[in-house]
Amino acid sequence: IGEGERSSDLMYVRDRLLAATDSTTIPGKKKGSEERDYQFGRLFGILGVVRSHILLPYGDEDSSDIREVASAMISDLVELFWLKRWMREPAAHGITTMLKLYFDHSEESRKIGRELVEGVIIPKLLLVTQEQTEVEMSDRQSCLGNYCAEQIGVAAYIQSHPQLQDLPFPLDQAIVSSLTLPLIGQALSETSVVVQPRTHFVWDTFWCLLTEPQDDGSTPANSRKGLKSGSTRNLREKVPLTDESALDVIGATINIVVKEKLLRMDKDTTTAKATHERRSLALCIVKALSGVPFVSSLSGPTQIYMDGDAIEHVLLTPEIVQTLFLNVICAGHQKQHASHLLKPLALGILGELAEATVATGGSRQLSFAKAFLNSSVRFDSRTKTSTVSNLLGFSSGRVPTEVDFSLWNEYLTYLETTFLQLCNKPNDQDSSTEANGYAELLYSAAKNVLRAGIDDQTTDVDKKVIEYKERSVKRILSFFMSTAFFDCSKLKHPTTATTKKKKKGKQTMSAHPVLKSAVKVKENIKFGDNIPYPVRAVVASRFFSLAADFAIVISRESKDGGKSKIEKDSNTLRVLADLCDSWHQLESNGANLFQAEEDKARDKKDVCDPERIVNELRERVTDVERAMKTNPDDSLKQSQKRCATGIAILAMTLHLHRLSCGTDDTIEEDPDADEEDDEEEISNTLDGLKEVAEDFLSGKESDSNPLLGLAEMCANILSSPLGSGNMGRAASPKLVREAVKY
C-alpha cells in the first residue's frame, strides 16, 4: 500500500476500535460487568494494534501520521488509566508495552517514543495525582508522595532506558533511589493486594530499572549453566540518573519496603502486625531476587543474578529469614497443630530457590547456606526440609566432583570459624548453645562426606573421592581433637621443613594437619580463655562418634573391595594410628591436654606408659608385615598379622579414651571420679594386651591359650564403664565395640 493509504488505514483502525468499544452508543442501562468488558475490549484492541508492529516507521517514509496515531492511542490508554482504579494496572501495562515497541527498535522509533513520553505521558500521567489534580513543577516531594504504584512503574520503566536523557520534570531525576524510597515505599507496599504467585506490574519495572541483560561473554556469570539465553539479568553498576549502585537501592528497598512497610519490623514506628498478603508479597520479592526464574510482563523469562555477599548480607539477613521462613514454616506447633496459611508458599520458595541455585552453580550455594544457618543453626531440622543439604550438594546422590570438594572445603572453613567466634564468649549461654549446633553441623558434614557415592573404586575419579573423604574427615577429627581435649594457648607455631631434590630445588613440607587446626584455635580464642566445658564435652562426644564412623567406612573401602579381612584391619589401624600421632604432635608442640584434677595429682610412676605400649604394639604389626613380604601366602604369618593388628587396634582405641575434656569449674562435685577409674583400667588392660601379643607372636608352645586371656579382657571391657560411656564420651562405646570386633 502507498504511504497515504497506510496512514489513512491506521486512522481507520483506531476509529473503528473506538466506535466498537464505546459503551455510550448502546441505549439503555448497562451492567457494571458490561462497562468493564467495553473498557477491556478497547485495551485489548490497542495492544493488538501495537503488537502487530504496524505503528513502526519503515525506511525513509514520512512518519508524521504514525506519530499522530501513536499519540492518540497512548492518550486512549492514559484515559483508560484514570477511568477506574481497577483499570490502572492493565492500562499501565499497555502504556509500557507501547513504549517498549518504540524503545527497542530503530533510532527513528526511539524518537517517536521520546515524543510520546514528553507530549503525553508526563503531562497527562506523571504530572497528575491520584485525585487527578495537577502537580506544581517545583514540588517534587509532594509529587512522588502522591504517586500510585502504577505511576511509579511507568516512570521507572522509562528511566530504565539510559538513552533517554534530559527529560523534563519529574523524569529529570531518579524516581527510584535511596532518597525517594521513603516517599514511594507506602505505595509499593500497597501492591500486596495482588494475590501471589503474580506480583504487581510495578515490580517488573523495578527489576528492569535495577538490572540489565547479561552481556554474553563479558562476565564470568556467562558460564552459568541451566539458564536460557537472554534470561539472566545482572545488577547494574549504577542506577540511571543516580550515583548509587543497584545493590544500594535493593538494600534500601529491603529495609524500607520489605522490613518496615510489609513485615512491620520497626516497632518504633508501628505496632501493627504484618498481614498474610504483605508477608506474601515480601516472600515473592525475596524469591525474585534470589534467582528463582519467573516470567516478567516486560522482559519475559527472567532470572536475576546477585552475588553471594549481597545475598548473605543484604537480601537474606537473619531477621528476614526468621520472619519469612522460620516463623511461617514452624508456626502452629502450640496452636493445636494449625499450620500457617503461607507455609506452602514458603516451602515452595525454599525448594525452588535451592533447585535454581544448584543449577547455576558457583559460590552462591554456600552463600545461601550461610544465610539460612546464620538465622538458625538447625534450619533444616526446624523447617523439616533438606534445604541446606541440597544447597551443599550432600543430597544429590551423584559422585562428587572437584567443584563439590571446593564447596565443601569452604563450608567446613565457615563452620570452624563461626564455631570459634561463638566460643569467644565463654559466659554467654546462648553462644555456647549455638556453638554446640555448629559442632553438630561439622559432624553431620563429615558423615555426609563419608556417604558420598562411589560406583567403581577402580576409576581415577573414585580414587579422588576416597582421598577427599579421608582428607576432609581427618581435618574435622583434628579440629575436634584440638578444641575438645587441648589448651592450645601456648602452642608453638610449627615450622615447615624443607627438602632438596635434584632439578627441583627446595620443596616445603606442610605442617601436620592437626597443627593447622590447633593454630587456628589459638588465633581465634583469646589468650587465657578456653572453650567452655559444656561445648568441649559435646565436641568430645562427636570426636569419638566420628572416629568410629570413619573406621567403619574406611574398612569397607579397602583396595580389594573389602574382601580381605587383613586389608580391612589395616585400614582401621591406619585411622587410629593417625589419631594417636595427632595427639603426639599436639603435645610435642606445646598444647596442654585437659585433665581431671585426680589425673594431675596422680603419680605417673604408679601407672604404665600407655603411649610406649601402643608404640610397641604398632612395631609388632610392622615386624609381621615385613616378615610376610618374603612369603605372603604363609597362613601362620597371616594369622599373626590379624592378631597383632586386632590387638593394636584395641590398644589404640583404649589409649584414645584417655583423652579428657577436662573439668567443669562451675560444678563443685567430682564428676571425674569415673575418669580416674577409667585411667587405671585402661592402663591395666594395655599391660594385658601387651602380654597377650608377646605370647601369641613368640611362636612358643604353651599349655594355656593366650587368646582366652584376650577374650576375657574383651568381655571385661564391654561390661565396664567404658562400654557405657559418660559425658564427653557419649559415643565411646561404639568405638570400643568396633575395636573389640577385630
Side-chain angles (χ1 to χ4, degrees):
I1 60 176
E3 181 180 328
E5 294 177 358
R6 184 168 181 266
S7 61
S8 61
D9 286 343
L10 292 178
M11 294 300 298
Y12 173 77
V13 169
R14 176 177 179 269
D15 292 340
R16 289 294 301 157
L17 176 60
L18 294 180
T21 57
D22 185 2
S23 61
T24 61
T25 60
I26 300 188
K29 187 176 181 181
K30 291 172 287 295
K31 297 180 180 178
S33 59
E34 293 176 333
E35 290 279 359
R36 180 195 61 195
D37 292 343
Y38 275 104
Q39 309 310 326
F40 275 109
R42 179 170 296 183
L43 173 64
F44 297 155
I46 294 175
L47 288 177
V49 173
V50 170
R51 288 171 177 166
S52 70
H53 288 198
I54 63 175
L55 293 178
L56 286 175
Y58 291 95
D60 298 330
E61 68 178 20
D62 183 14
S63 59
S64 58
D65 292 325
I66 292 178
R67 283 176 161 83
E68 180 183 355
V69 176
S71 178
M73 283 194 168
I74 205 165
S75 296
D76 295 336
L77 290 173
V78 172
E79 183 180 346
L80 288 174
F81 182 94
W82 293 117
L83 183 66
K84 295 288 184 181
R85 182 180 292 270
W86 44 263
M87 275 298 295
R88 288 180 183 175
E89 185 183 2
H93 173 69
I95 292 171
T96 54
T97 301
M98 191 167 182
L99 292 176
K100 179 179 173 62
L101 174 71
Y102 292 107
F103 291 162
D104 293 349
H105 284 82
S106 64
E107 184 64 29
E108 181 66 21
S109 297
R110 285 191 283 273
K111 290 180 180 179
I112 297 176
R114 184 184 183 93
E115 292 173 5
L116 295 179
V117 171
E118 294 179 346
V120 180
I121 302 300
I122 291 178
K124 296 184 179 181
L125 185 69
L126 299 182
L127 291 180
V128 181
T129 65
Q130 298 186 58
E131 292 77 20
Q132 300 190 35
T133 58
E134 293 186 1
V135 178
E136 294 184 10
M137 299 289 286
S138 60
D139 193 358
R140 180 178 184 81
Q141 184 171 353
S142 176
C143 177
L144 295 180
N146 286 286
Y147 270 173
C148 62
E150 293 78 12
Q151 289 174 290
I152 298 170
V154 173
Y157 178 74
I158 294 172
Q159 291 189 339
S160 68
H161 296 78
Q163 67 270 22
L164 295 176
Q165 299 292 334
D166 302 324
L167 290 172
F169 179 89
L171 298 181
D172 56 335
Q173 298 180 38
I175 294 294
V176 179
S177 68
S178 299
L179 297 177
T180 62
L181 278 168
L183 301 175
I184 64 177
Q186 184 61 33
L188 294 175
S189 67
E190 291 174 355
T191 60
S192 60
V193 296
V194 177
V195 181
Q196 64 85 22
R198 186 182 78 83
T199 55
H200 191 276
F201 148 86
V202 70
W203 294 108
D204 290 338
T205 66
F206 243 62
W207 312 143
C208 285
L209 177 66
L210 301 178
T211 65
E212 58 188 356
Q214 177 179 300
D215 185 9
D216 292 340
S218 63
T219 62
N222 182 50
S223 61
R224 293 190 296 274
K225 55 191 176 183
L227 302 180
K228 296 181 179 179
S229 177
S231 66
T232 308
R233 298 182 68 92
N234 299 326
L235 299 186
R236 296 182 189 267
E237 293 184 3
K238 184 178 292 187
V239 178
L241 300 178
T242 72
D243 293 328
E244 296 180 302
S245 67
L247 185 58
D248 293 333
V249 178
I250 288 176
T253 303
I254 295 296
N255 289 328
I256 296 173
V257 180
V258 176
K259 292 183 179 179
E260 181 181 334
K261 303 294 183 181
L262 294 178
L263 301 181
R264 310 287 190 179
M265 288 185 179
D266 191 355
K267 302 302 181 183
D268 296 333
T269 59
T270 180
T271 58
K273 294 183 178 180
T275 63
H276 291 334
E277 291 78 10
R278 289 177 177 267
R279 202 183 297 257
S280 173
L281 175 58
L283 279 167
C284 291
I285 293 173
V286 169
K287 173 184 176 182
L289 291 174
S290 296
V292 177
F294 64 96
V295 178
S296 168
S297 61
L298 297 172
S299 57
T302 302
Q303 189 169 18
I304 298 175
Y305 184 86
M306 291 179 63
D307 62 55
D309 287 340
I311 289 169
E312 184 180 352
H313 299 107
V314 177
L315 180 61
L316 291 178
T317 57
E319 58 267 26
I320 289 288
V321 175
Q322 180 71 38
T323 306
L324 289 182
F325 293 104
L326 292 174
N327 290 353
V328 171
I329 296 174
C330 303
H333 294 295
Q334 298 178 353
K335 299 178 181 179
Q336 300 179 355
H337 303 284
S339 61
H340 198 285
L341 183 65
L342 296 180
K343 182 177 180 179
L345 175 62
L347 289 173
I349 290 176
L350 281 181
E352 293 178 81
L353 183 152
E355 181 180 356
T357 305
V358 171
T360 57
S363 61
R364 297 186 348 134
Q365 291 176 245
L366 179 61
S367 298
F368 276 109
K370 290 166 64 177
F372 292 131
L373 293 177
N374 288 340
S375 176
S376 174
V377 69
R378 296 174 177 83
F379 184 86
D380 277 359
S381 61
R382 289 187 61 187
T383 59
K384 298 182 180 179
T385 65
S386 56
T387 303
V388 175
S389 180
N390 291 338
L391 285 168
L392 296 171
F394 288 143
S395 305
S396 63
R398 56 177 173 78
V399 176
T401 63
E402 292 290 343
V403 176
D404 296 312
F405 299 158
S406 177
L407 173 63
W408 294 346
N409 285 335
E410 292 178 7
Y411 176 60
L412 294 180
T413 300
Y414 158 72
L415 294 181
E416 292 171 352
T417 303
T418 308
F419 171 84
L420 293 175
Q421 289 174 350
L422 292 169
C423 290
N424 258 330
K425 306 173 183 177
N427 298 322
D428 190 339
Q429 183 65 34
D430 292 337
S431 295
S432 296
T433 302
E434 197 169 352
N436 290 338
Y438 277 91
E440 295 291 345
L441 287 177
L442 278 166
Y443 174 68
S444 298
K447 295 193 68 173
N448 283 319
V449 170
L450 287 174
R451 285 196 293 264
I454 298 179
D455 297 329
D456 185 358
Q457 297 179 6
T458 62
T459 64
D460 292 338
V461 174
D462 292 337
K463 289 180 181 178
K464 290 181 180 180
V465 174
I466 295 175
E467 292 173 359
Y468 177 78
K469 281 186 179 184
E470 295 189 18
R471 188 166 61 251
S472 60
V473 175
K474 287 179 181 178
R475 169 184 175 176
I476 298 173
L477 285 171
S478 297
F479 184 77
F480 282 170
M481 178 179 285
S482 302
T483 54
F485 307 120
F486 288 89
D487 178 3
C488 299
S489 59
K490 298 181 180 180
L491 181 79
K492 302 174 185 176
H493 281 265
T495 57
T496 56
T498 58
T499 60
K500 292 185 177 179
K501 289 189 177 181
K502 293 182 179 180
K503 299 181 181 180
K504 291 187 178 180
K506 294 183 178 180
Q507 292 186 344
T508 301
M509 304 296 291
S510 59
H512 195 281
V514 75
L515 297 181
K516 295 180 181 179
S517 296
V519 168
K520 189 171 185 178
V521 173
K522 177 182 178 180
E523 292 176 347
N524 285 273
I525 300 298
K526 298 177 182 177
F527 184 79
D529 290 338
N530 283 319
I531 295 174
Y533 173 79
V535 177
R536 298 202 306 267
V538 172
V539 175
S541 167
R542 287 313 181 195
F543 169 83
F544 286 110
S545 185
L546 180 56
D549 294 334
F550 187 31
I552 294 172
V553 172
I554 206 67
S555 67
R556 296 172 182 170
E557 294 180 354
S558 55
K559 296 179 181 178
D560 60 358
K563 298 178 182 179
S564 171
K565 173 66 176 170
I566 295 178
E567 183 66 32
K568 293 171 64 177
D569 292 356
S570 299
N571 286 339
T572 303
L573 179 66
R574 178 164 52 87
V575 170
L576 297 176
D578 286 340
L579 294 177
C580 292
D581 291 341
S582 297
W583 181 351
H584 176 73
Q585 287 286 337
L586 286 171
E587 288 192 319
S588 299
N589 284 272
N592 295 319
L593 180 67
F594 289 119
Q595 293 180 331
E597 294 298 328
E598 292 77 7
D599 293 338
K600 296 178 183 178
R602 183 185 296 115
D603 187 355
K604 298 298 180 182
K605 296 181 180 180
D606 295 341
V607 296
C608 65
D609 185 354
E611 186 174 0
R612 178 182 56 80
I613 294 177
V614 168
N615 289 334
E616 290 179 1
L617 292 174
R618 290 173 63 180
E619 291 176 1
R620 296 278 185 178
V621 177
T622 303
D623 293 340
V624 176
E625 290 176 342
R626 190 180 299 114
M628 286 183 63
K629 291 182 179 179
T630 58
N631 188 8
D633 296 328
D634 188 338
S635 59
L636 176 60
K637 294 297 183 184
Q638 290 182 355
S639 299
Q640 288 180 339
K641 181 182 179 182
R642 286 186 56 186
C643 181
T645 303
I647 292 174
I649 289 174
L650 182 56
M652 283 188 285
T653 300
L654 296 176
H655 177 52
L656 288 173
H657 276 69
R658 297 177 57 241
L659 291 170
S660 170
C661 56
T663 58
D664 188 357
D665 297 334
T666 62
I667 300 178
E668 296 181 358
E669 297 180 359
D670 180 14
D672 297 296
D674 290 339
E675 289 196 10
E676 183 179 2
D677 296 337
D678 290 348
E679 179 75 18
E680 183 177 356
E681 182 177 352
I682 289 172
S683 299
N684 294 335
T685 305
L686 289 175
D687 274 333
L689 290 174
K690 179 183 177 183
E691 294 177 2
V692 170
E694 290 176 348
D695 292 344
F696 187 81
L697 297 177
S698 65
K700 299 179 181 179
E701 295 184 1
S702 175
D703 295 336
S704 61
N705 188 347
L707 295 183
L708 292 177
L710 179 61
E712 182 179 354
M713 279 187 286
C714 291
N716 291 337
I717 290 172
L718 293 176
S719 60
S720 69
L722 284 177
S724 58
N726 58 25
M727 186 177 183
R729 296 176 182 171
S732 301
K734 183 178 181 180
L735 183 58
V736 172
R737 289 193 296 268
E738 291 298 324
V740 168
K741 290 180 183 179
Y742 292 97

